């Protein structure tokens, strides 16, 4: 009896030695089921998810996730907004005997359709795209109209299908078709004129910045324009100088835009412009810096060398000096992948990378930015012999991650969704490679068992 007690004490001591350094880096898993759930939006801190469609026969549904990690179906109504955009559609050509050539007869206007889901979430009404995976819905602040963009212009559509064109019909006295012909004559048949491309909405939804080449026929390249809904004005923001290309990366706040300018065979350079068009260069360190995302409180996430993608940097932008102050930086023993984000309050960073030891895998790192403590997550709590790959994630709130996991069975990939709760100052659920501490101790703890909310994750 004394011998068994001694063995138990020794095992628990070993467990404690393992656990103490990880007390600030705990996490716990909840299995949601064999679905590809993705975050659609949050309503008063309530995460709303949808199941990404597997095929045309699948039915997309919206659910809310409770604080207890349960899924609850939402009441929803799907309606379709149909509308036509004057001047856009299919050109109909007829033969003209006098001119001995085909001439434009008329434009057959196309009927556009946008499906919208009306959701009821705890007494509130929310409008979303009925299929967020294919096309997002860009609502105005009043939530009764949406922005609509085509290569020929910028539109505002209400839920009854009434349309209002916001962009001008002509530039320098010439229509889209006339400028398109000039562009083709100058650069070749494959050239495309973009009145509006890569639109990026301001955080408050009242302004949009976009790329256009309507004013770059002679110089080549592109420029940036801005539409301000509050004053109903479209105007140039950053003009083309010598054939360079521009791309709006995002809004730092409601009056400052981060954009990149690049030339052929040259590295990108980043600039900050206010909404009046005054701009200054933003200095980022690195061989080929590339901004990955923009977050509240003027924070940006970037990698210092996009061609290698072996580090990740979080920095805060100083608008007065147009410089950045490093918040966190990590050099990776692998290659950064396309899943990375700050949580809503901005105090935790999560990102994925493929390790050099096996680039078919992806590891997840969660960083507490207050104390710079890192949690490395390599797999979900499934049997060790089963190959699983962490695919991507969304932050549900400040402490929960929605993680998509690919399970490989007989050479076929099966997707499933899990919630990873990241805690502070509680016993850890799993060591960083996913094995429960109780496996070593021979004991069971409330922290080490995943809570199943769907079907059994072990079933194949």
């Amino acid at each position: 009896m004394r011998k068994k007690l001694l063995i138990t004490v020794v095992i628990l001591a070993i467990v404690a030695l393992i656990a103490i350094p990880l007390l600030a880096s705990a996490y716990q898993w909840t299995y949601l089921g064999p679905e590809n759930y993705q975050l659609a939006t949050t309503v008063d801190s309530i995460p709303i998810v949808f199941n990404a469609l597997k095929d045309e026969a699948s039915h997309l549904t919206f659910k809310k996730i409770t604080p207890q990690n349960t899924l609850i179906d939402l009441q929803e109504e799907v309606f379709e907004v149909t509308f036509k955009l004057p001047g856009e559609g299919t050109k109909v050509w007829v033969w003209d005997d006098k001119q001995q050539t085909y001439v434009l007869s008329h434009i057959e206007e196309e009927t556009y359709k946008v499906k919208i889901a009306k959701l009821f979430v705890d007494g509130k009404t929310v409008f979303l795209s009925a299929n967020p995976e294919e096309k997002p819905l860009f609502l105005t602040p009043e939530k009764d109209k949406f922005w609509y963009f085509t290569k020929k212009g910028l539109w505002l559509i209400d839920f009854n299908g009434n349309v209002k064109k916001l962009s001008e019909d002509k530039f320098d006295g010439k229509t889209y078709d006339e400028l398109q012909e000039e562009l083709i004559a100058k650069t070749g048949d494959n050239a495309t004129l973009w009145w509006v491309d890569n639109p990026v909405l301001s955080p408050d939804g009242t302004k949009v910045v976009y790329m256009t080449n309507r004013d770059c026929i002679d110089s080549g390249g592109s420029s940036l324009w801005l539409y301000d809904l509050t004053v109903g004005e479209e105007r140039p923001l950053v003009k083309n100088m010598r054939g360079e290309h521009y791309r709006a990366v995002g809004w730092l706040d409601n009056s400052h835009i981060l954009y990149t300018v690049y030339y052929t065979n040259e590295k990108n350079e980043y600039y900050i412009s206010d909404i009046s068009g005054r701009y200054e260069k933003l200095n980022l360190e690195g061989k080929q810096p590339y901004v990955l995302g923009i977050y509240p409180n003027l924070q940006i996430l970037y990698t210092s060398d996009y061609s290698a993608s072996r580090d990740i940097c979080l920095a805060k932008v100083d608008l007065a000096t147009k410089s950045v102050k490093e918040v966190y930086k990590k050099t990776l023993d692998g290659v950064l992948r396309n899943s990375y984000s700050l949580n809503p309050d901005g105090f935790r960073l999560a990102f994925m990378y493929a390790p050099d030891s096996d680039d078919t895998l992806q590891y997840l790192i969660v960083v507490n930015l207050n104390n710079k403590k890192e949690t490395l997550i390599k797999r979900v709590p499934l049997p060790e012999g089963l190959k699983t790959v962490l695919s991507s994630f969304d932050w549900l709130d400040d402490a929960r991650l929605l993680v998509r996991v690919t399970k490989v069975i007989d050479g076929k990939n099966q997707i499933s969704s899990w919630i990873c709760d990241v805690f502070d100052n509680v016993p850890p659920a799993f060591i960083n490679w996913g094995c429960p501490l109780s496996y070593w101790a021979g004991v069971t703890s409330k922290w080490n068992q995943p809570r199943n909310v769907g079907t059994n994750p072990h079933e194949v």
Side-chain angles (χ1 to χ4, degrees):
M1 180 71 179
R2 183 177 295 177
K3 185 177 180 181
K4 287 185 178 179
L5 181 61
L6 181 61
I7 291 173
T8 302
V9 171
V10 170
I11 290 173
L12 290 175
I14 294 171
V15 171
L17 287 172
I18 296 172
I20 287 171
L22 298 173
L23 286 180
S25 305
Y27 53 97
Q28 179 182 7
W29 292 99
T30 302
Y31 177 70
L32 294 182
E35 296 281 354
N36 183 6
Y37 287 117
Q38 297 184 30
L39 183 68
T41 189
T42 55
V43 180
D44 293 338
S45 301
I46 301 170
I48 308 301
V49 299
F50 66 96
N51 58 321
L53 298 179
K54 298 175 183 176
D55 49 54
E56 292 184 2
S58 302
H59 175 63
L60 187 147
T61 58
F62 292 91
K63 302 173 186 286
K64 73 174 183 179
I65 298 180
T66 69
Q68 295 75 33
N69 290 351
T70 56
L71 290 165
I72 297 179
D73 288 334
L74 290 174
Q75 181 186 353
E76 64 178 271
E77 297 173 5
V78 176
F79 61 95
E80 189 172 72
V81 178
T82 61
F83 53 93
K84 292 184 178 181
L85 303 179
E88 299 212 16
T90 304
K91 292 180 179 180
V92 178
W93 300 82
V94 296
W95 180 259
D96 186 297
D97 285 329
K98 273 188 180 180
Q99 301 182 52
Q100 288 295 296
T101 187
Y102 284 96
V103 296
L104 180 64
S105 169
H106 64 281
I107 295 177
E108 214 166 74
E109 291 183 346
E110 179 183 349
T111 298
Y112 293 83
K113 299 178 181 180
V114 173
K115 286 188 176 181
I116 298 175
K118 182 180 181 181
L119 307 180
F120 303 92
V121 185
D122 294 358
K124 291 198 170 183
T125 302
V126 181
F127 295 99
L128 295 173
S129 168
N131 189 354
E133 204 176 11
E134 284 189 1
K135 199 162 192 177
L137 186 67
F138 300 108
L139 290 172
T140 60
E142 298 77 24
K143 311 298 183 188
D144 60 349
K145 303 180 187 67
F146 57 92
W147 302 80
Y148 198 82
F149 310 96
T150 73
K151 66 180 181 181
K152 288 188 175 182
L154 167 62
W155 307 78
L156 208 57
I157 320 291
D158 69 20
F159 289 168
N160 294 317
N162 299 309
V163 305
K164 178 183 179 181
K165 190 169 186 180
L166 302 179
S167 54
E168 297 291 335
D169 287 327
K170 293 183 178 181
F171 174 74
D172 201 21
K174 298 173 184 176
T175 65
Y176 175 92
D177 290 334
E178 290 169 336
L179 290 171
Q180 172 72 42
E181 288 179 9
E182 281 189 24
L183 185 63
I184 289 174
K186 188 172 183 66
T187 61
D189 292 338
N190 294 325
T192 300
L193 184 74
W194 290 95
W195 214 260
V196 175
D197 189 30
N198 186 43
V200 183
L201 286 174
S202 61
D204 63 5
T206 63
K207 294 176 280 293
V208 59
V209 62
Y210 45 91
M211 184 276 286
T212 183
N213 60 350
R214 72 183 92 163
D215 53 351
C216 309
I217 304 296
D218 293 327
S219 64
S222 61
S223 60
L224 291 178
W225 282 48
L226 176 80
Y227 188 90
D228 189 337
L229 196 60
T230 60
V231 296
E233 179 187 48
E234 181 193 34
R235 55 185 169 79
L237 182 70
V238 181
K239 296 181 180 180
N240 189 283
M241 303 296 289
R242 53 187 182 93
E244 68 275 13
H245 293 268
Y246 291 90
R247 181 178 66 87
V249 178
W251 292 77
L252 293 168
D253 55 23
N254 287 312
S255 57
H256 291 87
I257 302 116
L258 177 66
Y259 67 90
T260 182
V261 55
Y262 57 96
Y263 305 89
T264 306
N265 299 324
E266 293 185 27
K267 77 173 186 178
N268 295 3
E269 292 181 341
Y270 289 92
Y271 289 80
I272 295 174
S273 172
D274 63 19
I275 57 175
S276 70
R278 292 190 298 267
Y279 62 86
E280 286 188 51
K281 186 176 180 180
L282 178 68
N283 294 308
L284 296 177
E285 293 184 359
K287 177 182 176 182
Q288 190 179 354
Y290 185 84
V291 174
L292 305 168
I294 300 176
Y295 301 93
N297 301 317
L298 303 175
Q299 295 189 101
I300 63 171
L301 202 59
Y302 71 99
T303 181
S304 64
D305 184 0
Y306 184 64
S307 61
S309 297
R310 296 187 68 87
D311 65 9
I312 187 166
C313 312
L314 178 67
K316 184 160 186 171
V317 177
D318 185 329
L319 291 177
T321 62
K322 303 300 184 291
S323 61
V324 297
K325 181 180 180 181
E326 182 179 298
V327 176
Y328 169 83
K329 182 175 182 178
K330 184 173 182 65
T331 300
L332 305 172
D333 58 344
V335 178
L336 186 66
R337 292 308 195 202
N338 289 330
S339 209
Y340 34 75
S341 183
L342 287 180
N343 69 344
D345 72 7
F347 292 112
R348 284 193 180 101
L349 168 67
F351 57 91
M352 285 182 169
Y353 76 99
D356 291 330
S357 58
D358 187 348
D359 62 6
T360 66
L361 298 177
Q362 291 192 151
Y363 294 164
L364 172 63
I365 291 182
V366 182
V367 186
N368 183 325
L369 295 171
N370 288 324
N371 55 26
K372 303 301 186 291
K373 294 246 176 129
E374 300 173 352
T375 300
L376 173 63
I377 303 173
K378 294 187 177 182
R379 53 179 287 119
V380 294
L382 287 172
E384 288 292 325
L386 186 63
K387 183 174 182 180
T388 60
V389 179
L390 305 177
S391 301
S392 59
F393 70 87
D394 300 301
W395 281 103
L396 295 176
D397 51 32
D398 290 329
R400 293 185 296 171
L401 289 162
L402 173 62
V403 183
R404 268 83 59 183
V405 178
T406 301
K407 182 170 58 176
V408 183
I409 299 176
D410 297 329
K412 295 183 179 179
N413 294 338
Q414 297 180 7
I415 195 80
S416 61
S417 294
W418 301 68
I419 292 176
C420 180
D421 290 83
V422 182
F423 301 97
D424 287 331
N425 301 318
V426 296
F430 298 93
I431 300 177
N432 61 16
W433 34 269
C435 180
L437 292 177
S438 60
Y439 176 86
W440 299 102
V443 297
T444 301
S445 161
K446 69 176 181 178
W447 296 108
N448 62 29
Q449 298 299 325
R451 291 167 284 167
N452 292 350
V453 183
T455 55
N456 188 344
H458 295 172
E459 291 179 353
V460 297

